[in-house]
Amino acid sequence: IPPTVRLRSEASVDAAVRSRPPQPVDLALRTSTVVRTLSGCTAGLLLLHGLAVWSMLGGLRFPGRHLFYFDGESNVPTVFSTLLLVLASALLACVAVGLLQRRARFALHWLVLSLVFLGLAVDESASIHELLTHPLRRSLGLAGGWLHFSWVVAGAAGVLALGLAFVPFLLKLRADTRRRFVLAAVLYL
C-alpha cells in the first residue's frame, strides 16, 4: 500500500458520511417520456376495460374482467389512479419543501396541494367518499336524480372552498402554468 493511501475503519467512514450535510438530489424527468409511459398504461387499461365490458355482455370469456372494469372498486384501475395521485402528492411535496426552505411565498399552498392529493389517493383506494352517500342523501332529503351520489355535494363544497382559497396563488403563477393547473382541475373534476 502506497504511503499516501490510508485505510479508514468502517466507523470513521460512517462518521465522515454523517458529518456531511445532505446533498440535494436532482430529478430530471422528460415530459415526453412521462406522457408516453402514462398514455401507454392508460391505453392498456382502456383495452382491458373494453374486454371486461365485452365479457359482461356475453361476447367474450374474460375471467379477470372484474380486475379491469373501470366502474369497480379495489381493482387495477383503482391502483393506477391511486399511484398517480400519490406521485402527484410526492412531486408537490418536493416543490413545497424546496420553497419552505427558502421561505418563499405560497410555499404552504404547495404543501396543502400535496396533502390534498394524498387525501385523494387515500380516498381513491379506500372509497371513503362512498361512505358519505347514504348519510348525505338522508340529511339533504335527496331521493336520486343527478345527486344520486350525494357525496358530490360535499365534494363540490370542498372544491369551491379550496378554489377560492387558492385564487391568489393561481394569479401569481406564470400564465402557462396557471392555464395547465386550471385545465387539470377541470379535467379531474
Side-chain angles (χ1 to χ4, degrees), residues 58-161:
L60 173 74
R61 181 165 161 68
F62 184 38
R65 67 183 180 204
H66 65 282
L67 292 174
F68 299 101
Y69 184 59
F70 284 3
D71 202 27
E73 300 290 338
S74 302
N75 57 17
V76 175
T78 301
V79 171
F80 181 67
S81 294
T82 300
L83 290 175
L84 286 178
L85 291 166
V86 167
L87 176 63
S89 175
L91 292 173
L92 289 164
C94 289
V95 171
V97 166
L99 293 174
L100 284 168
Q101 288 174 344
R102 289 185 274 161
R103 300 188 191 288
R105 188 172 180 206
F106 298 116
L108 287 177
H109 286 74
W110 290 95
L111 182 60
V112 168
L113 278 175
S114 172
L115 293 174
V116 165
F117 273 82
L118 184 60
L120 289 170
V122 169
D123 177 63
E124 179 69 21
S125 66
S127 301
I128 296 167
H129 63 279
E130 298 288 341
L131 301 175
L132 297 174
T133 298
H134 295 296
L136 279 174
R137 205 181 288 158
R138 276 194 305 275
S139 66
L140 298 174
L142 300 171
W146 65 279
L147 285 177
H148 174 73
F149 298 106
S150 53
W151 59 264
V152 172
V153 174
V159 166
L160 181 63

Side-chain angles (χ1 to χ4, degrees), residues 51-62 65:
L51 293 174
V53 170
W54 190 15
S55 173
M56 289 175 184
L57 296 173
L60 173 74
R61 181 165 161 68
F62 184 38
R65 67 183 180 204

